[in-house]
């Protein structure tokens, strides 16, 4: 019980031990890193999968070139600390304050270290342990989500496929997922490249299995001027509008105090890299992601309509997965 409570109140840590590492189970961390010039955009994704073919992995998404490499390791190459957030896959190490990469195989070579300065974590309380709110206490969720850092500065450099990339002065973001499988369908986006330094936006909506039914659950966090504006199913916020077109997403949510308008535009040429995501059987989902989207944001106060923030986020990560069949119909059922 003590370990369960400790890990629940530290969503960044490895949770596999709570399940005895019995399949199906996956856990993965997502490190988005953009250099100061904003010409180099990468996501580094370490993780472990326990299923029919258990293994550890490190995925590398080159957002500027939309290339993905999936580096597979034996499952015993995965290691996680019990008392803090620190994980390793082979010689690759990842923690709250940085990462060390040492990928060297026929497909790709990545080596170097990055340090993170001033990470901004999602607040954790006993009643609301992280971005999932009280849903984090529910033991039968299909997929759990955590935000490790909404925004932080980068220092250091990496050698990637013969290029030395200096990330010093760039910005980073870190999140994670764990559970039995990714959802059936979802929309996810994130950006912390606004003109106002330190502003960060992360948002998602997905089909959530619940007992014998499902519902469209959403979580959005806007970090601005040291305040986190939360809009989520568990906070009582409601969706006013969600329209998904081929190149854009128009999404409006509101609660009793604020209204948040978001307009997402895909990047040039709509180029997406194909990541691997977990099902209950294997790392078999093909997840299309770009790091070249933009998000126009407008936050207003209910009542007088005062604009509290308006800006455009660049280099946004964006995934739109299988939303047409059920998710959009659940959000806006046909009249």
């Amino acid at each position: 019980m003590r370990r369960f409570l400790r890990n629940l109140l530290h969503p960044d840590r490895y949770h596999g031990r709570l399940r005895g590492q019995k399949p199906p189970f996956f856990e993965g961390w997502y490190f988005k890193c953009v250099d100061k010039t904003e010409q180099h955009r990468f996501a580094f994704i370490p993780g472990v999968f326990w299923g029919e073919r258990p293994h550890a992995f490190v995925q590398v998404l080159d957002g500027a070139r939309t290339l993905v490499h999936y580096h597979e390791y034996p499952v015993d190459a995965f290691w996680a600390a019990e008392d803090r957030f620190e994980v390793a896959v082979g010689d690759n190490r990842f923690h709250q304050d940085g990462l060390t990469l040492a990928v060297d195989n026929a497909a790709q070579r990545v080596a170097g270290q990055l340090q993170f300065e001033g990470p901004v974590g999602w607040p954790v309380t006993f009643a609301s342990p992280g971005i999932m709110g009280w849903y984090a206490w529910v033991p039968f969720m299909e997929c759990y989500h955590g935000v490790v850092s909404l925004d932080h500065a980068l220092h250091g450099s990496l050698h990637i496929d013969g290029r030395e990339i200096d990330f010093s002065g760039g910005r980073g973001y870190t999140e994670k997922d764990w559970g039995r499988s990714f959802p059936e369908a979802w929309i996810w986006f994130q950006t912390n490249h606004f003109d106002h330094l330190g502003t960060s936006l992360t948002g998602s909506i997905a089909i959530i299995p619940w007992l014998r039914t499902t519902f469209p659950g959403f979580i959005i966090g806007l970090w601005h001027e040291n305040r986190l504006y939360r809009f989520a199913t568990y906070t009582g916020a409601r969706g006013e509008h969600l329209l998904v077109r081929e190149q854009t997403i128009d999404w409006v949510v509101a609660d009793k105090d604020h209204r948040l308008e978001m307009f997402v535009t895909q990047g040039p040429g709509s180029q997406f890299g194909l990541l691997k995501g977990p099902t209950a059987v294997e790392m078999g989902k093909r997840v299309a992601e770009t790091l070249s989207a933009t998000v126009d944001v407008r936050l207003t106060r209910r009542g007088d309509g005062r604009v509290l923030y308006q800006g455009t986020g660049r280099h946004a990560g964006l995934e739109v997965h299988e939303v047409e069949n059920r998710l959009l119909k659940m959000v806006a059922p046909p009249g």
Side-chain angles (χ1 to χ4, degrees), residues 12 24-25 28 46 62 76 81 103 154 157 162 172 176 183 196-197 209 215 220 223 239 261 291 305 315 320 330:
D12 53 343
F25 180 79
D62 182 339
D76 58 8
V103 174
L154 301 177
S157 62
K176 64 169 297 192
H196 190 286
L197 185 65
F215 68 92
I220 302 167
W223 175 258
E261 302 167 72
L291 295 180
H315 315 308
V320 183
M330 296 169 72

Short mmCIF file of all heavy atoms in Angstrom, two decimals, residues 12 24-25 28 46 62 76 81 103 154 157 162 172 176 183 196-197 209 215 220 223 239 261 291 305 315 320 330:
data_model
loop_
_atom_site.label_atom_id
_atom_site.label_comp_id
_atom_site.label_asym_id
_atom_site.label_seq_id
_atom_site.Cartn_x
_atom_site.Cartn_y
_atom_site.Cartn_z
N ASP A 12 5.35 10.64 -12.35
CA ASP A 12 6.49 10.56 -13.25
C ASP A 12 7.25 9.25 -13.09
O ASP A 12 7.92 8.80 -14.01
CB ASP A 12 7.44 11.75 -13.01
CG ASP A 12 7.84 11.91 -11.55
OD1 ASP A 12 7.18 11.33 -10.66
OD2 ASP A 12 8.82 12.65 -11.29
N PRO A 24 -1.18 -7.56 -19.97
CA PRO A 24 -0.58 -6.51 -20.81
C PRO A 24 -0.28 -5.26 -19.99
O PRO A 24 -1.08 -4.83 -19.18
CB PRO A 24 -1.68 -6.23 -21.83
CG PRO A 24 -2.96 -6.49 -21.08
CD PRO A 24 -2.66 -7.62 -20.14
N PHE A 25 0.88 -4.67 -20.22
CA PHE A 25 1.27 -3.44 -19.55
C PHE A 25 2.33 -2.73 -20.37
O PHE A 25 3.23 -3.38 -20.92
CB PHE A 25 1.81 -3.71 -18.14
CG PHE A 25 2.21 -2.46 -17.41
CD1 PHE A 25 1.26 -1.66 -16.81
CD2 PHE A 25 3.55 -2.07 -17.36
CE1 PHE A 25 1.63 -0.49 -16.15
CE2 PHE A 25 3.92 -0.91 -16.70
CZ PHE A 25 2.96 -0.11 -16.10
N GLY A 28 5.72 4.47 -20.97
CA GLY A 28 6.65 5.22 -21.81
C GLY A 28 6.66 6.68 -21.44
O GLY A 28 5.66 7.23 -20.98
N PRO A 46 11.52 6.77 -24.46
CA PRO A 46 11.92 5.48 -23.90
C PRO A 46 10.71 4.78 -23.27
O PRO A 46 9.76 5.44 -22.83
CB PRO A 46 12.92 5.88 -22.83
CG PRO A 46 12.42 7.22 -22.34
CD PRO A 46 11.80 7.89 -23.54
N ASP A 62 12.36 12.61 -35.48
CA ASP A 62 12.96 13.83 -36.01
C ASP A 62 11.83 14.62 -36.67
O ASP A 62 11.40 14.31 -37.77
CB ASP A 62 14.05 13.48 -37.03
CG ASP A 62 14.77 14.70 -37.59
OD1 ASP A 62 14.20 15.81 -37.53
OD2 ASP A 62 15.88 14.55 -38.11
N ASP A 76 15.19 -7.00 -20.27
CA ASP A 76 16.02 -6.83 -19.07
C ASP A 76 17.01 -5.68 -19.22
O ASP A 76 17.77 -5.38 -18.28
CB ASP A 76 16.75 -8.13 -18.72
CG ASP A 76 17.64 -8.65 -19.83
OD1 ASP A 76 17.83 -7.93 -20.84
OD2 ASP A 76 18.15 -9.78 -19.70
N ALA A 81 14.37 3.35 -11.18
CA ALA A 81 14.56 3.56 -9.75
C ALA A 81 13.23 3.44 -9.02
O ALA A 81 12.17 3.73 -9.58
CB ALA A 81 15.17 4.95 -9.51
N VAL A 103 22.59 5.59 -28.42
CA VAL A 103 22.07 4.66 -29.43
C VAL A 103 23.14 4.46 -30.49
O VAL A 103 23.65 5.44 -31.05
CB VAL A 103 20.77 5.20 -30.07
CG1 VAL A 103 20.33 4.29 -31.21
CG2 VAL A 103 19.68 5.34 -29.03
N LEU A 154 16.72 24.04 -22.03
CA LEU A 154 17.63 22.96 -22.40
C LEU A 154 19.08 23.46 -22.41
O LEU A 154 19.35 24.61 -22.80
CB LEU A 154 17.28 22.42 -23.78
CG LEU A 154 15.88 21.86 -23.99
CD1 LEU A 154 15.70 21.44 -25.44
CD2 LEU A 154 15.62 20.67 -23.07
N SER A 157 24.27 19.22 -25.91
CA SER A 157 24.21 18.94 -27.34
C SER A 157 24.12 17.43 -27.58
O SER A 157 24.47 16.62 -26.70
CB SER A 157 25.45 19.50 -28.05
OG SER A 157 26.64 18.90 -27.57
N GLY A 162 25.56 11.82 -37.41
CA GLY A 162 26.67 12.58 -37.95
C GLY A 162 26.58 14.08 -37.80
O GLY A 162 27.52 14.80 -38.17
N GLY A 172 12.08 22.54 -23.69
CA GLY A 172 11.67 21.15 -23.63
C GLY A 172 10.34 20.96 -22.92
O GLY A 172 9.85 21.86 -22.21
N LYS A 176 4.17 11.46 -20.01
CA LYS A 176 4.27 10.00 -20.03
C LYS A 176 2.89 9.36 -20.08
O LYS A 176 1.87 10.01 -19.81
CB LYS A 176 5.02 9.50 -18.80
CG LYS A 176 4.30 9.79 -17.48
CD LYS A 176 4.93 9.05 -16.31
CE LYS A 176 4.84 7.56 -16.48
NZ LYS A 176 5.20 6.81 -15.24
N PRO A 183 -5.72 4.47 -26.13
CA PRO A 183 -7.16 4.48 -26.40
C PRO A 183 -7.49 4.07 -27.84
O PRO A 183 -6.61 4.02 -28.71
CB PRO A 183 -7.55 5.94 -26.15
CG PRO A 183 -6.47 6.49 -25.29
CD PRO A 183 -5.22 5.78 -25.69
N HIS A 196 5.37 34.60 -25.59
CA HIS A 196 5.49 34.82 -24.14
C HIS A 196 6.23 33.62 -23.56
O HIS A 196 5.68 32.52 -23.43
CB HIS A 196 4.11 34.96 -23.51
CG HIS A 196 4.13 35.42 -22.09
ND1 HIS A 196 4.51 34.60 -21.05
CD2 HIS A 196 3.83 36.63 -21.52
CE1 HIS A 196 4.43 35.26 -19.92
NE2 HIS A 196 4.03 36.49 -20.17
N LEU A 197 7.52 33.80 -23.22
CA LEU A 197 8.35 32.71 -22.74
C LEU A 197 7.75 32.08 -21.48
O LEU A 197 7.35 32.78 -20.55
CB LEU A 197 9.76 33.22 -22.42
CG LEU A 197 10.79 32.17 -22.01
CD1 LEU A 197 11.06 31.21 -23.15
CD2 LEU A 197 12.09 32.84 -21.56
N PRO A 209 -12.85 3.99 -21.93
CA PRO A 209 -13.69 2.88 -21.44
C PRO A 209 -14.03 3.09 -19.97
O PRO A 209 -13.17 3.46 -19.18
CB PRO A 209 -12.81 1.65 -21.64
CG PRO A 209 -11.76 2.06 -22.61
CD PRO A 209 -11.53 3.52 -22.35
N PHE A 215 -16.94 6.99 -22.77
CA PHE A 215 -17.30 8.40 -22.84
C PHE A 215 -16.11 9.18 -23.41
O PHE A 215 -14.96 8.73 -23.33
CB PHE A 215 -17.71 8.95 -21.47
CG PHE A 215 -16.58 9.03 -20.48
CD1 PHE A 215 -15.82 10.19 -20.35
CD2 PHE A 215 -16.28 7.95 -19.65
CE1 PHE A 215 -14.78 10.26 -19.42
CE2 PHE A 215 -15.24 8.02 -18.73
CZ PHE A 215 -14.50 9.18 -18.62
N ILE A 220 -7.13 19.50 -20.57
CA ILE A 220 -6.38 20.61 -21.16
C ILE A 220 -5.74 21.42 -20.05
O ILE A 220 -6.38 21.69 -19.02
CB ILE A 220 -7.31 21.53 -21.99
CG1 ILE A 220 -8.00 20.75 -23.10
CG2 ILE A 220 -6.52 22.70 -22.58
CD1 ILE A 220 -9.15 21.51 -23.73
N TRP A 223 -0.56 26.78 -19.16
CA TRP A 223 0.32 27.38 -18.15
C TRP A 223 0.75 28.75 -18.66
O TRP A 223 1.36 28.87 -19.71
CB TRP A 223 1.53 26.48 -17.94
CG TRP A 223 2.58 27.04 -17.01
CD1 TRP A 223 3.76 27.61 -17.36
CD2 TRP A 223 2.53 27.07 -15.57
NE1 TRP A 223 4.46 27.99 -16.24
CE2 TRP A 223 3.73 27.68 -15.13
CE3 TRP A 223 1.59 26.65 -14.62
CZ2 TRP A 223 4.02 27.87 -13.78
CZ3 TRP A 223 1.89 26.84 -13.28
CH2 TRP A 223 3.07 27.44 -12.86
N GLY A 239 -17.23 20.89 -23.33
CA GLY A 239 -16.85 21.26 -24.68
C GLY A 239 -17.98 22.00 -25.36
O GLY A 239 -19.11 21.51 -25.40
N GLU A 261 -10.39 29.04 -26.40
CA GLU A 261 -10.54 28.76 -27.82
C GLU A 261 -9.20 28.33 -28.38
O GLU A 261 -8.18 29.00 -28.16
CB GLU A 261 -11.04 30.00 -28.56
CG GLU A 261 -12.37 30.54 -28.04
CD GLU A 261 -12.65 31.93 -28.58
OE1 GLU A 261 -12.97 32.06 -29.78
OE2 GLU A 261 -12.51 32.89 -27.78
N LEU A 291 5.60 17.46 -35.49
CA LEU A 291 6.09 18.46 -34.55
C LEU A 291 6.14 19.83 -35.23
O LEU A 291 6.91 20.70 -34.85
CB LEU A 291 7.49 18.09 -34.04
CG LEU A 291 7.60 16.81 -33.21
CD1 LEU A 291 9.04 16.57 -32.78
CD2 LEU A 291 6.69 16.87 -31.98
N GLY A 305 -15.92 38.84 -20.56
CA GLY A 305 -15.26 38.55 -21.83
C GLY A 305 -13.84 39.09 -21.94
O GLY A 305 -13.28 39.13 -23.05
N HIS A 315 5.62 24.90 -33.44
CA HIS A 315 6.27 23.59 -33.29
C HIS A 315 5.47 22.67 -32.38
O HIS A 315 6.02 21.96 -31.53
CB HIS A 315 7.69 23.76 -32.75
CG HIS A 315 8.46 24.85 -33.44
ND1 HIS A 315 8.58 24.94 -34.81
CD2 HIS A 315 9.11 25.94 -32.94
CE1 HIS A 315 9.29 26.00 -35.13
NE2 HIS A 315 9.61 26.64 -34.02
N VAL A 320 -3.74 12.92 -34.35
CA VAL A 320 -5.18 12.76 -34.57
C VAL A 320 -5.39 11.32 -35.01
O VAL A 320 -5.07 10.96 -36.15
CB VAL A 320 -5.72 13.74 -35.63
CG1 VAL A 320 -7.24 13.59 -35.77
CG2 VAL A 320 -5.35 15.18 -35.28
N MET A 330 -19.41 10.92 -30.77
CA MET A 330 -19.72 10.98 -29.35
C MET A 330 -19.73 12.42 -28.84
O MET A 330 -20.52 12.78 -27.98
CB MET A 330 -18.71 10.14 -28.55
CG MET A 330 -18.73 8.66 -28.86
SD MET A 330 -17.32 7.77 -28.14
CE MET A 330 -17.76 7.80 -26.40
#
